[in-house]
Amino acid sequence: VQSYYQVSLNIEIDQPKLVGDVEADVCIIGGGYTGLSTALYLVKEGVNVLLLESNKLASGASGANGGQVSGGMRRDQFYLEKTLGVDYAKALWEIGEKSKYHAKDLIDKYQIKCDYKKGIAHPNHKQKYCEESQRYVDHMNKNYDYHDIVYLSDNEMRDVTGSNTYYGGSYDEGEAHCHPLNYALGIAKAAISAGAKIYENSPALSYKVNDDHVKVITKEGSIKAARVVLACNGYLGNLEKSLTSKILPMNNYIVATKPLDSQTIKKINPRDIAFADSRFVINYFRLSADKRLLFGGGENYSQELSKN
Ligand SMILES: Cc1cc2nc3c(=O)[nH]c(=O)nc-3n(C[C@H](O)[C@H](O)[C@H](O)COP(=O)(O)OP(=O)(O)OC[C@H]3O[C@@H](n4cnc5c(N)ncnc54)[C@H](O)[C@@H]3O)c2cc1C
C-alpha cells in the first residue's frame, strides 16, 4: 500500500542501483533531508559526491512526516533558558530560525512545488496551559523581537479549529507546512541536476575507515571516498555499532481522510493552517492541497515499521 504522500507525488525520480567499484570525494549514506541537502551543498561547492539510499529516496522520515516547518527546538525557550542559560537558548533559537528560512530558500531557489503554506497554531488541550502560552508569546515578542507569534483566546482558537476540545494557545505565522515528500524530492532533483551521483536500492552494508580513505561496501559494489557522511537517522541499524544501542525506535502515525467538502473545511480549518497541540505525544493536523485532513499522532515503540 502506498502512503498519501506517495500517491500525490509530483516528481518522479528513479536512480540506478550501485553496481561495481567507484570513487568519490564524499560518500553520503542515507537519502532523506540530511543526506540530500548535504549532497546538494557539497556538489555546489564542486565536491564529487555520491549518495547511497537503501530504498527509494526519502523513504524514511523525510517522506512521511507531518510537513510542519516549525521554529525553535523540541523544547520551548522557557525550558531552554532555564536549563542552558539565556545565551545558549538564544543561539539555539537562531538555529531554528535559520532552518525555517533555509527550507523556504531552497523551495524558492529550486522552485520546489510542495504546497508550502504559512502558519501553525498551537492549541492547548488543557486550560491550565493558557496562561503560560500567553506569557510565552509576550516573552518572544519582547525578548526575542519575534513578532510572528500571537496569542489566540479560547474563542479565537475554537474559530480556527472548529473544535470545543481546545482552549487558547499561540499562532505562529513564521512557521509553515508543506508536502514533505515533494520537498525532499525537489532537493534531490536539484542535487542530481548539479551533478550529485545518487544510487537507490543500494544499502550500505558496512564501512571501514582507513588511513587515507573510507571504504563503503554495498551488495553489488563499493565506494572509495575521502570522507563518509552517515545520514541514516533511526534506520542506522548496525552500520555504526557504537550507536546501535542508543537508538530508541518510535513509530508515529498519520491518517489521510477523503477530500473534505467546502463547508467542513470552513468549519475545521478556514485559514488552511497547520496545528500542533499541547499533548506530550502531539496531535498534529492540517489540510493537504486536495483538502484531505491529514491527522497525525499516537506512538508505539517497536522495531516493526508500518508498511504504509
Ligand atoms: C511521523 C513523523 C512525523 C514527523 N513530523 C515532522 C514535522 O511535522 N516537522 C518536522 O520538522 N519534523 C518532523 N518529523 C521529523 C523529520 O521527519 C525528521 O527529523 C527528518 O525527516 C530526518 O531526516 P533525515 O534525512 O535525517 O532522516 P530520514 O529521512 O529518515 O532518512 C534516512 C535515510 O537513510 C536511509 N538509510 C538508512 N540506513 C541506510 C543504509 N545502510 N544505506 C543506505 N541508506 C540507508 C533510509 O532508508 C532513509 O531514507 C517527523 C517524523 C516522523 C516519523
Side-chain angles (χ1 to χ4, degrees), residues 29-35 52-56 58-62 64-70 202-204 231-233 235-236 239 252-254 284:
I29 306 177
Y33 300 142
T34 307
L52 295 173
E53 166 53 47
S54 283
N55 307 297
K56 293 295 290 175
S59 55
S62 300
N65 62 57
Q68 302 210 356
V69 187
S70 317
S202 305
C232 304
N233 198 11
Y235 312 98
L236 186 69
L239 190 61
N252 186 287
Y253 299 89
I254 304 176
Y284 52 98

PDB file of all heavy atoms in Angstrom, residues 29-35 52-56 58-62 64-70 202-204 231-233 235-236 239 252-254 284, ligand 1:
ATOM      1  N   ILE A  29      25.604   8.372   3.116  1.00  0.00           N
ATOM      2  CA  ILE A  29      24.739   7.193   3.267  1.00  0.00           C
ATOM      3  C   ILE A  29      23.410   7.662   3.850  1.00  0.00           C
ATOM      4  O   ILE A  29      23.349   8.151   4.981  1.00  0.00           O
ATOM      5  CB  ILE A  29      25.399   6.130   4.173  1.00  0.00           C
ATOM      6  CG1 ILE A  29      26.797   5.781   3.645  1.00  0.00           C
ATOM      7  CG2 ILE A  29      24.519   4.887   4.254  1.00  0.00           C
ATOM      8  CD1 ILE A  29      27.561   4.789   4.513  1.00  0.00           C
ATOM      9  N   GLY A  30      22.342   7.538   3.064  1.00  0.00           N
ATOM     10  CA  GLY A  30      21.015   7.962   3.512  1.00  0.00           C
ATOM     11  C   GLY A  30      20.469   9.073   2.636  1.00  0.00           C
ATOM     12  O   GLY A  30      21.114  10.105   2.459  1.00  0.00           O
ATOM     13  N   GLY A  31      19.280   8.861   2.088  1.00  0.00           N
ATOM     14  CA  GLY A  31      18.699   9.822   1.140  1.00  0.00           C
ATOM     15  C   GLY A  31      17.452  10.499   1.660  1.00  0.00           C
ATOM     16  O   GLY A  31      16.429  10.555   0.980  1.00  0.00           O
ATOM     17  N   GLY A  32      17.506  11.034   2.902  1.00  0.00           N
ATOM     18  CA  GLY A  32      16.442  11.904   3.420  1.00  0.00           C
ATOM     19  C   GLY A  32      16.929  13.350   3.341  1.00  0.00           C
ATOM     20  O   GLY A  32      17.877  13.660   2.618  1.00  0.00           O
ATOM     21  N   TYR A  33      16.270  14.257   4.101  1.00  0.00           N
ATOM     22  CA  TYR A  33      16.673  15.673   4.055  1.00  0.00           C
ATOM     23  C   TYR A  33      18.157  15.848   4.370  1.00  0.00           C
ATOM     24  O   TYR A  33      18.846  16.644   3.730  1.00  0.00           O
ATOM     25  CB  TYR A  33      15.900  16.509   5.090  1.00  0.00           C
ATOM     26  CG  TYR A  33      14.397  16.524   4.944  1.00  0.00           C
ATOM     27  CD1 TYR A  33      13.583  16.517   6.079  1.00  0.00           C
ATOM     28  CD2 TYR A  33      13.793  16.569   3.695  1.00  0.00           C
ATOM     29  CE1 TYR A  33      12.204  16.548   5.965  1.00  0.00           C
ATOM     30  CE2 TYR A  33      12.410  16.593   3.582  1.00  0.00           C
ATOM     31  CZ  TYR A  33      11.620  16.580   4.722  1.00  0.00           C
ATOM     32  OH  TYR A  33      10.258  16.606   4.616  1.00  0.00           O
ATOM     33  N   THR A  34      18.646  15.117   5.394  1.00  0.00           N
ATOM     34  CA  THR A  34      20.040  15.311   5.821  1.00  0.00           C
ATOM     35  C   THR A  34      20.995  14.955   4.693  1.00  0.00           C
ATOM     36  O   THR A  34      21.876  15.748   4.331  1.00  0.00           O
ATOM     37  CB  THR A  34      20.340  14.434   7.063  1.00  0.00           C
ATOM     38  OG1 THR A  34      19.357  14.698   8.057  1.00  0.00           O
ATOM     39  CG2 THR A  34      21.723  14.704   7.619  1.00  0.00           C
ATOM     40  N   GLY A  35      20.813  13.755   4.135  1.00  0.00           N
ATOM     41  CA  GLY A  35      21.719  13.307   3.081  1.00  0.00           C
ATOM     42  C   GLY A  35      21.567  14.123   1.810  1.00  0.00           C
ATOM     43  O   GLY A  35      22.561  14.518   1.183  1.00  0.00           O
ATOM     44  N   LEU A  52      24.185   7.030  -1.305  1.00  0.00           N
ATOM     45  CA  LEU A  52      23.558   5.704  -1.330  1.00  0.00           C
ATOM     46  C   LEU A  52      22.268   5.744  -0.532  1.00  0.00           C
ATOM     47  O   LEU A  52      22.247   6.254   0.591  1.00  0.00           O
ATOM     48  CB  LEU A  52      24.463   4.673  -0.644  1.00  0.00           C
ATOM     49  CG  LEU A  52      25.805   4.353  -1.276  1.00  0.00           C
ATOM     50  CD1 LEU A  52      26.600   3.441  -0.337  1.00  0.00           C
ATOM     51  CD2 LEU A  52      25.611   3.688  -2.635  1.00  0.00           C
ATOM     52  N   GLU A  53      21.205   5.200  -1.099  1.00  0.00           N
ATOM     53  CA  GLU A  53      19.940   5.090  -0.361  1.00  0.00           C
ATOM     54  C   GLU A  53      19.497   3.627  -0.398  1.00  0.00           C
ATOM     55  O   GLU A  53      19.496   3.003  -1.453  1.00  0.00           O
ATOM     56  CB  GLU A  53      18.883   6.020  -0.982  1.00  0.00           C
ATOM     57  CG  GLU A  53      17.455   5.772  -0.555  1.00  0.00           C
ATOM     58  CD  GLU A  53      17.217   5.750   0.959  1.00  0.00           C
ATOM     59  OE1 GLU A  53      17.700   6.648   1.662  1.00  0.00           O
ATOM     60  OE2 GLU A  53      16.549   4.801   1.431  1.00  0.00           O
ATOM     61  N   SER A  54      19.104   3.116   0.767  1.00  0.00           N
ATOM     62  CA  SER A  54      18.687   1.703   0.874  1.00  0.00           C
ATOM     63  C   SER A  54      17.489   1.370  -0.001  1.00  0.00           C
ATOM     64  O   SER A  54      17.418   0.300  -0.594  1.00  0.00           O
ATOM     65  CB  SER A  54      18.216   1.390   2.296  1.00  0.00           C
ATOM     66  OG  SER A  54      19.267   1.231   3.156  1.00  0.00           O
ATOM     67  N   ASN A  55      16.517   2.297  -0.003  1.00  0.00           N
ATOM     68  CA  ASN A  55      15.254   2.032  -0.710  1.00  0.00           C
ATOM     69  C   ASN A  55      15.084   3.085  -1.798  1.00  0.00           C
ATOM     70  O   ASN A  55      15.984   3.312  -2.571  1.00  0.00           O
ATOM     71  CB  ASN A  55      14.095   2.082   0.291  1.00  0.00           C
ATOM     72  CG  ASN A  55      14.364   1.170   1.475  1.00  0.00           C
ATOM     73  OD1 ASN A  55      14.470  -0.026   1.304  1.00  0.00           O
ATOM     74  ND2 ASN A  55      14.507   1.741   2.657  1.00  0.00           N
ATOM     75  N   LYS A  56      13.898   3.719  -1.827  1.00  0.00           N
ATOM     76  CA  LYS A  56      13.708   4.884  -2.692  1.00  0.00           C
ATOM     77  C   LYS A  56      14.129   6.116  -1.891  1.00  0.00           C
ATOM     78  O   LYS A  56      14.091   6.115  -0.657  1.00  0.00           O
ATOM     79  CB  LYS A  56      12.223   5.024  -3.083  1.00  0.00           C
ATOM     80  CG  LYS A  56      11.692   3.933  -3.966  1.00  0.00           C
ATOM     81  CD  LYS A  56      12.334   3.911  -5.332  1.00  0.00           C
ATOM     82  CE  LYS A  56      11.924   5.087  -6.198  1.00  0.00           C
ATOM     83  NZ  LYS A  56      12.681   5.106  -7.496  1.00  0.00           N
ATOM     84  N   ALA A  58      14.027   9.411   0.176  1.00  0.00           N
ATOM     85  CA  ALA A  58      13.036   9.924   1.145  1.00  0.00           C
ATOM     86  C   ALA A  58      12.024   8.863   1.559  1.00  0.00           C
ATOM     87  O   ALA A  58      10.865   9.167   1.836  1.00  0.00           O
ATOM     88  CB  ALA A  58      12.334  11.169   0.607  1.00  0.00           C
ATOM     89  N   SER A  59      12.461   7.615   1.594  1.00  0.00           N
ATOM     90  CA  SER A  59      11.547   6.562   2.049  1.00  0.00           C
ATOM     91  C   SER A  59      11.526   6.465   3.573  1.00  0.00           C
ATOM     92  O   SER A  59      10.739   5.722   4.143  1.00  0.00           O
ATOM     93  CB  SER A  59      11.946   5.214   1.441  1.00  0.00           C
ATOM     94  OG  SER A  59      13.294   4.938   1.751  1.00  0.00           O
ATOM     95  N   GLY A  60      12.388   7.223   4.249  1.00  0.00           N
ATOM     96  CA  GLY A  60      12.365   7.271   5.715  1.00  0.00           C
ATOM     97  C   GLY A  60      11.469   8.403   6.196  1.00  0.00           C
ATOM     98  O   GLY A  60      10.454   8.731   5.562  1.00  0.00           O
ATOM     99  N   ALA A  61      11.859   9.033   7.295  1.00  0.00           N
ATOM    100  CA  ALA A  61      11.015  10.065   7.915  1.00  0.00           C
ATOM    101  C   ALA A  61      10.770  11.255   6.985  1.00  0.00           C
ATOM    102  O   ALA A  61       9.708  11.880   7.039  1.00  0.00           O
ATOM    103  CB  ALA A  61      11.665  10.548   9.214  1.00  0.00           C
ATOM    104  N   SER A  62      11.733  11.559   6.110  1.00  0.00           N
ATOM    105  CA  SER A  62      11.589  12.763   5.275  1.00  0.00           C
ATOM    106  C   SER A  62      10.426  12.677   4.290  1.00  0.00           C
ATOM    107  O   SER A  62       9.938  13.708   3.830  1.00  0.00           O
ATOM    108  CB  SER A  62      12.888  13.035   4.510  1.00  0.00           C
ATOM    109  OG  SER A  62      13.939  13.232   5.413  1.00  0.00           O
ATOM    110  N   ALA A  64       7.581  11.028   5.058  1.00  0.00           N
ATOM    111  CA  ALA A  64       6.397  10.511   5.763  1.00  0.00           C
ATOM    112  C   ALA A  64       6.076  11.326   7.006  1.00  0.00           C
ATOM    113  O   ALA A  64       5.477  10.804   7.934  1.00  0.00           O
ATOM    114  CB  ALA A  64       6.661   9.059   6.159  1.00  0.00           C
ATOM    115  N   ASN A  65       6.460  12.582   7.030  1.00  0.00           N
ATOM    116  CA  ASN A  65       6.279  13.338   8.281  1.00  0.00           C
ATOM    117  C   ASN A  65       5.091  14.297   8.217  1.00  0.00           C
ATOM    118  O   ASN A  65       4.350  14.326   7.241  1.00  0.00           O
ATOM    119  CB  ASN A  65       7.584  14.049   8.660  1.00  0.00           C
ATOM    120  CG  ASN A  65       8.009  15.063   7.623  1.00  0.00           C
ATOM    121  OD1 ASN A  65       7.262  15.970   7.311  1.00  0.00           O
ATOM    122  ND2 ASN A  65       9.210  14.895   7.079  1.00  0.00           N
ATOM    123  N   GLY A  66       4.951  15.096   9.274  1.00  0.00           N
ATOM    124  CA  GLY A  66       3.801  15.994   9.373  1.00  0.00           C
ATOM    125  C   GLY A  66       3.892  17.209   8.466  1.00  0.00           C
ATOM    126  O   GLY A  66       2.931  17.964   8.346  1.00  0.00           O
ATOM    127  N   GLY A  67       5.049  17.428   7.860  1.00  0.00           N
ATOM    128  CA  GLY A  67       5.205  18.552   6.941  1.00  0.00           C
ATOM    129  C   GLY A  67       5.210  19.906   7.635  1.00  0.00           C
ATOM    130  O   GLY A  67       5.045  20.940   6.994  1.00  0.00           O
ATOM    131  N   GLN A  68       5.410  19.917   8.942  1.00  0.00           N
ATOM    132  CA  GLN A  68       5.374  21.186   9.671  1.00  0.00           C
ATOM    133  C   GLN A  68       6.768  21.797   9.723  1.00  0.00           C
ATOM    134  O   GLN A  68       7.722  21.162  10.179  1.00  0.00           O
ATOM    135  CB  GLN A  68       4.848  20.961  11.086  1.00  0.00           C
ATOM    136  CG  GLN A  68       3.454  20.338  11.070  1.00  0.00           C
ATOM    137  CD  GLN A  68       2.612  20.736  12.267  1.00  0.00           C
ATOM    138  OE1 GLN A  68       3.065  21.428  13.161  1.00  0.00           O
ATOM    139  NE2 GLN A  68       1.366  20.299  12.272  1.00  0.00           N
ATOM    140  N   VAL A  69       6.870  23.012   9.228  1.00  0.00           N
ATOM    141  CA  VAL A  69       8.150  23.725   9.212  1.00  0.00           C
ATOM    142  C   VAL A  69       8.143  24.643  10.436  1.00  0.00           C
ATOM    143  O   VAL A  69       7.667  25.767  10.386  1.00  0.00           O
ATOM    144  CB  VAL A  69       8.308  24.538   7.906  1.00  0.00           C
ATOM    145  CG1 VAL A  69       9.704  25.144   7.818  1.00  0.00           C
ATOM    146  CG2 VAL A  69       8.012  23.668   6.684  1.00  0.00           C
ATOM    147  N   SER A  70       8.635  24.100  11.552  1.00  0.00           N
ATOM    148  CA  SER A  70       8.490  24.805  12.829  1.00  0.00           C
ATOM    149  C   SER A  70       9.755  25.566  13.190  1.00  0.00           C
ATOM    150  O   SER A  70      10.837  25.246  12.708  1.00  0.00           O
ATOM    151  CB  SER A  70       8.231  23.803  13.955  1.00  0.00           C
ATOM    152  OG  SER A  70       7.306  22.836  13.559  1.00  0.00           O
ATOM    153  N   SER A 202      20.271   0.657  -2.775  1.00  0.00           N
ATOM    154  CA  SER A 202      21.687   0.302  -2.610  1.00  0.00           C
ATOM    155  C   SER A 202      22.116   0.501  -1.154  1.00  0.00           C
ATOM    156  O   SER A 202      22.850   1.446  -0.830  1.00  0.00           O
ATOM    157  CB  SER A 202      22.560   1.188  -3.514  1.00  0.00           C
ATOM    158  OG  SER A 202      22.145   1.108  -4.855  1.00  0.00           O
ATOM    159  N   PRO A 203      21.646  -0.367  -0.255  1.00  0.00           N
ATOM    160  CA  PRO A 203      22.034  -0.178   1.143  1.00  0.00           C
ATOM    161  C   PRO A 203      23.538  -0.324   1.358  1.00  0.00           C
ATOM    162  O   PRO A 203      24.162  -1.210   0.772  1.00  0.00           O
ATOM    163  CB  PRO A 203      21.279  -1.295   1.885  1.00  0.00           C
ATOM    164  CG  PRO A 203      20.661  -2.169   0.859  1.00  0.00           C
ATOM    165  CD  PRO A 203      20.729  -1.496  -0.466  1.00  0.00           C
ATOM    166  N   ALA A 204      24.088   0.573   2.176  1.00  0.00           N
ATOM    167  CA  ALA A 204      25.477   0.396   2.604  1.00  0.00           C
ATOM    168  C   ALA A 204      25.469  -0.710   3.654  1.00  0.00           C
ATOM    169  O   ALA A 204      24.743  -0.615   4.649  1.00  0.00           O
ATOM    170  CB  ALA A 204      25.998   1.694   3.202  1.00  0.00           C
ATOM    171  N   ALA A 231      23.924   9.575   7.219  1.00  0.00           N
ATOM    172  CA  ALA A 231      22.682  10.368   7.282  1.00  0.00           C
ATOM    173  C   ALA A 231      21.501   9.402   7.327  1.00  0.00           C
ATOM    174  O   ALA A 231      20.548   9.519   6.564  1.00  0.00           O
ATOM    175  CB  ALA A 231      22.601  11.295   6.069  1.00  0.00           C
ATOM    176  N   CYS A 232      21.600   8.428   8.233  1.00  0.00           N
ATOM    177  CA  CYS A 232      20.655   7.298   8.230  1.00  0.00           C
ATOM    178  C   CYS A 232      19.525   7.451   9.234  1.00  0.00           C
ATOM    179  O   CYS A 232      18.639   6.586   9.299  1.00  0.00           O
ATOM    180  CB  CYS A 232      21.394   6.006   8.538  1.00  0.00           C
ATOM    181  SG  CYS A 232      22.749   5.680   7.411  1.00  0.00           S
ATOM    182  N   ASN A 233      19.575   8.488  10.069  1.00  0.00           N
ATOM    183  CA  ASN A 233      18.522   8.708  11.065  1.00  0.00           C
ATOM    184  C   ASN A 233      18.359   7.444  11.920  1.00  0.00           C
ATOM    185  O   ASN A 233      19.329   6.723  12.170  1.00  0.00           O
ATOM    186  CB  ASN A 233      17.230   9.120  10.334  1.00  0.00           C
ATOM    187  CG  ASN A 233      16.216   9.774  11.240  1.00  0.00           C
ATOM    188  OD1 ASN A 233      16.506  10.120  12.370  1.00  0.00           O
ATOM    189  ND2 ASN A 233      15.006   9.952  10.744  1.00  0.00           N
ATOM    190  N   TYR A 235      17.264   4.676  11.167  1.00  0.00           N
ATOM    191  CA  TYR A 235      17.337   3.423  10.398  1.00  0.00           C
ATOM    192  C   TYR A 235      18.776   2.927  10.291  1.00  0.00           C
ATOM    193  O   TYR A 235      19.092   2.094   9.451  1.00  0.00           O
ATOM    194  CB  TYR A 235      16.761   3.632   8.987  1.00  0.00           C
ATOM    195  CG  TYR A 235      15.432   4.341   8.988  1.00  0.00           C
ATOM    196  CD1 TYR A 235      15.348   5.710   8.741  1.00  0.00           C
ATOM    197  CD2 TYR A 235      14.256   3.645   9.255  1.00  0.00           C
ATOM    198  CE1 TYR A 235      14.132   6.368   8.761  1.00  0.00           C
ATOM    199  CE2 TYR A 235      13.034   4.300   9.273  1.00  0.00           C
ATOM    200  CZ  TYR A 235      12.983   5.660   9.028  1.00  0.00           C
ATOM    201  OH  TYR A 235      11.777   6.309   9.052  1.00  0.00           O
ATOM    202  N   LEU A 236      19.641   3.473  11.124  1.00  0.00           N
ATOM    203  CA  LEU A 236      21.078   3.187  11.040  1.00  0.00           C
ATOM    204  C   LEU A 236      21.391   1.704  11.235  1.00  0.00           C
ATOM    205  O   LEU A 236      22.332   1.180  10.635  1.00  0.00           O
ATOM    206  CB  LEU A 236      21.800   4.025  12.103  1.00  0.00           C
ATOM    207  CG  LEU A 236      23.304   3.997  12.114  1.00  0.00           C
ATOM    208  CD1 LEU A 236      23.870   4.711  10.893  1.00  0.00           C
ATOM    209  CD2 LEU A 236      23.835   4.659  13.383  1.00  0.00           C
ATOM    210  N   LEU A 239      25.027  -0.382  11.161  1.00  0.00           N
ATOM    211  CA  LEU A 239      26.070   0.195  10.304  1.00  0.00           C
ATOM    212  C   LEU A 239      27.165   0.856  11.147  1.00  0.00           C
ATOM    213  O   LEU A 239      28.344   0.777  10.817  1.00  0.00           O
ATOM    214  CB  LEU A 239      25.437   1.220   9.353  1.00  0.00           C
ATOM    215  CG  LEU A 239      26.334   1.733   8.237  1.00  0.00           C
ATOM    216  CD1 LEU A 239      26.781   0.604   7.324  1.00  0.00           C
ATOM    217  CD2 LEU A 239      25.609   2.806   7.425  1.00  0.00           C
ATOM    218  N   ASN A 252       5.241   6.792  14.739  1.00  0.00           N
ATOM    219  CA  ASN A 252       4.172   7.769  14.881  1.00  0.00           C
ATOM    220  C   ASN A 252       3.365   7.718  13.588  1.00  0.00           C
ATOM    221  O   ASN A 252       3.926   7.428  12.541  1.00  0.00           O
ATOM    222  CB  ASN A 252       4.835   9.143  15.096  1.00  0.00           C
ATOM    223  CG  ASN A 252       3.857  10.240  15.394  1.00  0.00           C
ATOM    224  OD1 ASN A 252       3.141  10.683  14.516  1.00  0.00           O
ATOM    225  ND2 ASN A 252       3.831  10.687  16.630  1.00  0.00           N
ATOM    226  N   TYR A 253       2.069   7.971  13.655  1.00  0.00           N
ATOM    227  CA  TYR A 253       1.196   7.649  12.518  1.00  0.00           C
ATOM    228  C   TYR A 253       0.395   8.846  12.021  1.00  0.00           C
ATOM    229  O   TYR A 253       0.013   9.706  12.805  1.00  0.00           O
ATOM    230  CB  TYR A 253       0.230   6.530  12.927  1.00  0.00           C
ATOM    231  CG  TYR A 253       0.995   5.281  13.305  1.00  0.00           C
ATOM    232  CD1 TYR A 253       1.427   5.075  14.606  1.00  0.00           C
ATOM    233  CD2 TYR A 253       1.340   4.345  12.337  1.00  0.00           C
ATOM    234  CE1 TYR A 253       2.173   3.957  14.946  1.00  0.00           C
ATOM    235  CE2 TYR A 253       2.080   3.227  12.667  1.00  0.00           C
ATOM    236  CZ  TYR A 253       2.494   3.038  13.968  1.00  0.00           C
ATOM    237  OH  TYR A 253       3.246   1.936  14.295  1.00  0.00           O
ATOM    238  N   ILE A 254       0.150   8.863  10.712  1.00  0.00           N
ATOM    239  CA  ILE A 254      -0.684   9.915  10.113  1.00  0.00           C
ATOM    240  C   ILE A 254      -1.769   9.245   9.276  1.00  0.00           C
ATOM    241  O   ILE A 254      -1.469   8.319   8.517  1.00  0.00           O
ATOM    242  CB  ILE A 254       0.155  10.834   9.195  1.00  0.00           C
ATOM    243  CG1 ILE A 254       1.333  11.446   9.967  1.00  0.00           C
ATOM    244  CG2 ILE A 254      -0.709  11.934   8.591  1.00  0.00           C
ATOM    245  CD1 ILE A 254       2.276  12.287   9.104  1.00  0.00           C
ATOM    246  N   TYR A 284      -1.162  16.398  15.569  1.00  0.00           N
ATOM    247  CA  TYR A 284      -0.848  17.439  14.584  1.00  0.00           C
ATOM    248  C   TYR A 284      -1.683  17.190  13.340  1.00  0.00           C
ATOM    249  O   TYR A 284      -1.877  16.047  12.933  1.00  0.00           O
ATOM    250  CB  TYR A 284       0.657  17.473  14.271  1.00  0.00           C
ATOM    251  CG  TYR A 284       1.265  16.146  13.884  1.00  0.00           C
ATOM    252  CD1 TYR A 284       1.448  15.815  12.540  1.00  0.00           C
ATOM    253  CD2 TYR A 284       1.652  15.223  14.845  1.00  0.00           C
ATOM    254  CE1 TYR A 284       2.007  14.604  12.174  1.00  0.00           C
ATOM    255  CE2 TYR A 284       2.204  14.003  14.488  1.00  0.00           C
ATOM    256  CZ  TYR A 284       2.382  13.696  13.159  1.00  0.00           C
ATOM    257  OH  TYR A 284       2.927  12.481  12.805  1.00  0.00           O
TER     258      TYR A 284
HETATM  259  C1  LIG B   1       5.588  10.549  11.650  1.00  0.00           C
HETATM  260  C2  LIG B   1       6.623  11.648  11.701  1.00  0.00           C
HETATM  261  C3  LIG B   1       6.199  12.968  11.697  1.00  0.00           C
HETATM  262  C4  LIG B   1       7.148  13.998  11.736  1.00  0.00           C
HETATM  263  N1  LIG B   1       6.717  15.278  11.614  1.00  0.00           N
HETATM  264  C5  LIG B   1       7.610  16.287  11.499  1.00  0.00           C
HETATM  265  C6  LIG B   1       7.178  17.607  11.234  1.00  0.00           C
HETATM  266  O1  LIG B   1       5.991  17.870  11.072  1.00  0.00           O
HETATM  267  N2  LIG B   1       8.123  18.584  11.146  1.00  0.00           N
HETATM  268  C7  LIG B   1       9.462  18.306  11.286  1.00  0.00           C
HETATM  269  O2  LIG B   1      10.286  19.238  11.193  1.00  0.00           O
HETATM  270  N3  LIG B   1       9.906  17.052  11.511  1.00  0.00           N
HETATM  271  C8  LIG B   1       9.016  16.038  11.600  1.00  0.00           C
HETATM  272  N4  LIG B   1       9.458  14.757  11.784  1.00  0.00           N
HETATM  273  C9  LIG B   1      10.907  14.527  11.853  1.00  0.00           C
HETATM  274  C10 LIG B   1      11.550  14.611  10.460  1.00  0.00           C
HETATM  275  O3  LIG B   1      10.781  13.883   9.532  1.00  0.00           O
HETATM  276  C11 LIG B   1      12.973  14.042  10.529  1.00  0.00           C
HETATM  277  O4  LIG B   1      13.696  14.748  11.516  1.00  0.00           O
HETATM  278  C12 LIG B   1      13.714  14.178   9.208  1.00  0.00           C
HETATM  279  O5  LIG B   1      12.961  13.693   8.128  1.00  0.00           O
HETATM  280  C13 LIG B   1      15.035  13.421   9.315  1.00  0.00           C
HETATM  281  O6  LIG B   1      15.666  13.454   8.062  1.00  0.00           O
HETATM  282  P1  LIG B   1      16.913  12.512   7.819  1.00  0.00           P
HETATM  283  O7  LIG B   1      17.377  12.735   6.440  1.00  0.00           O
HETATM  284  O8  LIG B   1      17.891  12.740   8.915  1.00  0.00           O
HETATM  285  O9  LIG B   1      16.354  11.038   8.024  1.00  0.00           O
HETATM  286  P2  LIG B   1      15.410  10.134   7.080  1.00  0.00           P
HETATM  287  O10 LIG B   1      14.505  10.930   6.248  1.00  0.00           O
HETATM  288  O11 LIG B   1      14.794   9.107   7.960  1.00  0.00           O
HETATM  289  O12 LIG B   1      16.438   9.473   6.090  1.00  0.00           O
HETATM  290  C14 LIG B   1      17.341   8.467   6.456  1.00  0.00           C
HETATM  291  C15 LIG B   1      17.526   7.625   5.217  1.00  0.00           C
HETATM  292  O13 LIG B   1      18.651   6.783   5.400  1.00  0.00           O
HETATM  293  C16 LIG B   1      18.391   5.594   4.687  1.00  0.00           C
HETATM  294  N5  LIG B   1      19.307   4.576   5.194  1.00  0.00           N
HETATM  295  C17 LIG B   1      19.375   4.064   6.447  1.00  0.00           C
HETATM  296  N6  LIG B   1      20.351   3.155   6.534  1.00  0.00           N
HETATM  297  C18 LIG B   1      20.932   3.094   5.307  1.00  0.00           C
HETATM  298  C19 LIG B   1      22.000   2.330   4.753  1.00  0.00           C
HETATM  299  N7  LIG B   1      22.671   1.432   5.485  1.00  0.00           N
HETATM  300  N8  LIG B   1      22.332   2.522   3.449  1.00  0.00           N
HETATM  301  C20 LIG B   1      21.673   3.425   2.682  1.00  0.00           C
HETATM  302  N9  LIG B   1      20.634   4.166   3.160  1.00  0.00           N
HETATM  303  C21 LIG B   1      20.281   3.999   4.450  1.00  0.00           C
HETATM  304  C22 LIG B   1      16.927   5.313   4.987  1.00  0.00           C
HETATM  305  O14 LIG B   1      16.362   4.409   4.041  1.00  0.00           O
HETATM  306  C23 LIG B   1      16.340   6.707   4.913  1.00  0.00           C
HETATM  307  O15 LIG B   1      15.832   7.009   3.628  1.00  0.00           O
HETATM  308  C24 LIG B   1       8.543  13.704  11.798  1.00  0.00           C
HETATM  309  C25 LIG B   1       8.965  12.373  11.803  1.00  0.00           C
HETATM  310  C26 LIG B   1       8.021  11.357  11.749  1.00  0.00           C
HETATM  311  C27 LIG B   1       8.500   9.928  11.725  1.00  0.00           C
END
